[in-house]
Amino acid sequence: MSAPDEGPGAREQEPTRLRVLIADDSFLIREGLSRLLELSDAVEVVGTCADEPSTVAAVAAAPPDVLLCDIRMPPSFTDEGVRLADGLRRSHPGVGVMLLSQERHVDLAARLLESGAAGRGYLLKDRVHDLDLLVSAVRSVARGECHIDAALVEDLVRRRRTEASALDGLTPRQRQLLADIAEGRSNAAIARARFLSVRAVEKHVSEIFGRLGLTGDADISRRVRATLLYLDANRR
């Protein structure tokens, strides 16, 4: 999926050669990507990194046009790529980020897009052997567009439909509280506005997340996803 973006992340003119930084804990992946991209006149590999801290330092020292980054790296092997993409949105908005993964992590892909799709991408590693596809994906992200692997788009659409239909299973009270969540209110603020105890609100919110299938994620991520579902449903 590749979609144009007119926001501040979009670039007016693409440079002659895109400066790409590669971040992956696997030496073979780093070297393989470097050598593959060296075959293209459109890309210049400016460095490689093996973990999150060194990647942050490298971007700060010389921001690339695009960061090609493993979705999971040291130190925790959980969501380093998503955290980097989110942090760079604030510190270096001109840097595009293309996440790479062996697997289709739908939750992490959804989190990647929560703070904005401009200049962000997600590509499965079994696609990166195709130089033309890889360079095309990098160039689209550098232009401020969004490039998501087609296989993952299907998963995201399927999950979105499942979650959206789950709104029909909420009680009127739960819909009220979901509206409060969508307005950015904390549990304490909701409790004051609805004349409930904080404990009661916490129980209701937990049940809402459960009915929407938003389990196992950080609380802040679940609130964001619940808000997006609410807003999407009320736009129809």
Side-chain angles (χ1 to χ4, degrees), residues 30-41:
R30 294 196 306 272
E31 287 300 301
L33 283 173
S34 294
R35 296 190 180 189
L36 180 63
L37 290 173
E38 285 173 359
L39 299 176
S40 171
D41 294 332

Side-chain angles (χ1 to χ4, degrees), residues 101-128:
S101 175
Q102 295 279 14
E103 302 173 3
R104 289 148 62 167
H105 297 292
V106 182
D107 287 341
L108 294 180
R111 282 181 52 197
L112 172 69
L113 303 178
E114 281 173 0
S115 60
R120 294 294 178 264
Y122 188 123
L123 197 61
L124 295 177
K125 287 184 178 179
D126 61 6
R127 314 269 198 201
V128 300

Side-chain angles (χ1 to χ4, degrees), residues 19-34:
R19 302 174 68 257
V20 174
L21 176 67
I22 298 172
D24 197 294
D25 62 286
S26 168
F27 174 78
L28 292 178
I29 294 292
R30 294 196 306 272
E31 287 300 301
L33 283 173
S34 294

